[in-house]
Amino acid sequence: MDFLDFSANKGFRLLSMYERLNKGEELSKQELSDEFGVSLKTVQRDIDDLRAYLAETHFDEFETAIKYSKARDSYYLIRLEREWLTNKEALAVCKILLESRAFNREELSELITKLVMQISPQDRGTAEKIIRNEFFNYLPLHHEKAMLDVIWQLSEHIVNQHVIEFTYTRQDGKHSKRRVKPVSILFNEFYFYLITYGFEVDYPIIFRIDRMEKIRETGESFEIPYKDKFSDGEFRKRVLYMYGGELKRVKFEYSGVLEAMLDKVPTAKVLSEKNGVYTMTAEAFGKGLDMWLSAQGDLVKIIE
């Protein structure tokens, strides 16, 4: 079987050149001519075509353009700074990914590589040095499972409102088969969680995604009335330690740092204050709120 030679195909050449320019590479006409087996005039026509394309797709020629460096005898792509991630932005996002420990080393490496490629070429080297050191010391979670594919799979089930089944492994190692209506995916303290509704209770049920196996669509679909539509933001306010269960409301006195309470329990409201003691209310699903309040010791006194 003869392999197709795409090097002489103009469409292939244009795509290859544009992709490499977008990655920040500098292109030499002579090297392109040798690589594709075409004349220097053909390479120049290809570059002119790419310039025409950029002129049509950008309002200002100074936003994105192919420039020629006489000193280096090569062509390169310039883009407005707002179209690139800065060192600071890329480093911040990478640090969040690294601190999350949510992905195994392979997936994290791919994500970071793609992030770095969004940094302007002149700044990319500095960012790579900083991030490389961060990645060298990366410590993934013990399960070391790939998460991106399963997150996407579950997201499609959520969008299409598919009833799904899966085998779930609890913390104690026991397995059970579950059938649920998935409504959202949240990330919290190292792990991704699937938020679902069951068929026997009317409150959210939470599953850690890395403990789910043999996920499959049942062929059934579900519908939630608009007034009962799940809100990620409202749910996140009312869940601590990712415990599901019925919604609970608590009234209590708190004598600790108010900022710490309000940051940890977003639904907490101050009713009154006297001598540094706050009378407050809060609500959350399941026993997460009870656990957090109990951990505050003498700083909290439950009223009702």
Side-chain angles (χ1 to χ4, degrees):
M1 174 179 177
D2 295 330
F3 289 98
L4 295 176
D5 181 10
F6 290 103
S7 60
N9 182 285
K10 181 173 182 176
F12 175 84
R13 292 198 310 272
L14 290 174
L15 287 171
S16 177
M17 291 165 63
Y18 188 58
E19 181 181 13
R20 287 150 71 174
L21 287 167
N22 264 309
K23 290 180 178 178
E25 295 183 27
E26 295 190 2
L27 305 181
S28 160
K29 275 206 304 185
Q30 187 61 59
E31 291 177 358
L32 291 172
S33 174
D34 295 340
E35 177 183 346
F36 294 123
V38 295
S39 68
L40 293 174
K41 288 185 178 180
T42 298
V43 173
Q44 185 61 59
R45 284 196 294 269
D46 288 346
I47 292 171
D48 292 341
D49 287 343
L50 287 175
R51 281 174 164 165
Y53 167 75
L54 293 173
E56 283 292 321
T57 54
H58 291 77
F59 293 109
D60 192 330
E61 65 175 325
F62 297 106
E63 283 191 356
T64 303
I66 297 172
K67 298 292 185 179
Y68 174 71
S69 169
K70 187 175 182 180
R72 297 188 296 273
D73 189 24
S74 60
Y75 292 86
Y76 62 96
L77 185 71
I78 62 167
R79 294 189 345 212
L80 279 183
E81 186 175 327
R82 62 179 169 80
E83 294 187 352
W84 299 97
L85 287 176
T86 65
N87 282 343
K88 294 178 288 186
E89 293 166 342
L91 184 60
V93 175
C94 286
K95 279 187 172 289
I96 291 172
L97 287 172
L98 289 158
E99 290 297 325
S100 74
R101 298 176 61 197
F103 302 100
N104 60 29
R105 292 187 73 90
E106 182 180 351
E107 287 190 329
L108 182 67
S109 177
E110 291 181 4
L111 288 169
I112 288 180
T113 297
K114 290 174 182 178
L115 275 171
V116 170
M117 292 308 300
Q118 303 308 308
I119 302 173
S120 59
Q122 60 267 30
D123 295 333
R124 195 174 297 156
T126 302
E128 284 178 333
K129 290 179 182 178
I130 299 171
I131 295 168
R132 188 183 302 119
N133 182 61
E134 296 277 338
F135 181 72
F136 179 78
N137 296 297
Y138 180 65
L139 184 64
L141 297 174
H142 287 292
H143 67 71
E144 294 192 357
K145 292 183 178 179
M147 299 302 300
L148 292 175
D149 285 344
V150 68
I151 289 171
W152 181 254
Q153 176 191 2
L154 290 171
S155 297
E156 289 186 314
H157 291 317
I158 291 168
V159 170
N160 294 306
Q161 296 185 308
H162 293 154
V163 176
I164 62 171
E165 289 183 345
F166 54 89
T167 300
Y168 191 69
T169 304
R170 300 192 323 189
Q171 190 172 0
D172 59 10
K174 292 184 178 179
H175 305 282
S176 61
K177 191 171 183 179
R178 310 304 296 261
R179 177 171 167 269
V180 299
K181 297 175 280 188
V183 294
S184 182
I185 293 173
L186 297 181
F187 178 79
N188 182 268
E189 295 182 354
F190 306 137
Y191 305 106
F192 288 97
Y193 294 87
L194 179 68
I195 316 303
T196 73
Y197 283 99
F199 291 87
E200 298 177 356
V201 295
D202 59 359
Y203 53 78
I205 307 169
I206 303 173
F207 299 96
R208 226 175 76 182
I209 292 178
D210 60 281
R211 292 178 175 169
M212 298 169 57
E213 295 180 339
K214 300 178 181 177
I215 302 167
R216 74 173 191 88
E217 179 188 344
T218 63
E220 304 170 73
S221 60
F222 65 93
E223 186 173 347
I224 297 177
Y226 182 79
K227 66 181 180 65
D228 299 323
K229 289 287 185 183
F230 184 85
S231 169
D232 298 49
E234 290 302 314
F235 179 79
R236 190 179 289 277
K237 292 178 185 177
R238 292 168 173 79
V239 62
L240 279 81
Y241 307 119
M242 296 308 292
Y243 276 103
E246 296 183 83
L247 189 65
K248 296 182 179 180
R249 294 176 177 83
V250 182
K251 185 177 181 181
F252 57 95
E253 291 181 348
Y254 179 64
S255 55
V257 179
L258 182 61
E259 183 181 18
M261 168 62 73
L262 297 177
D263 285 344
K264 188 64 179 179
V265 187
T267 60
K269 296 180 180 179
V270 177
L271 301 179
S272 63
E273 184 273 334
K274 184 176 181 181
N275 299 325
V277 178
Y278 302 92
T279 300
M280 309 182 70
T281 61
E283 62 179 22
F285 290 104
K287 60 182 181 180
L289 178 59
D290 296 336
M291 292 175 61
W292 193 84
L293 292 175
S294 298
Q296 308 312 302
D298 295 337
L299 297 178
V300 169
K301 179 182 177 182
I302 304 297
I303 298 175
E304 62 181 44

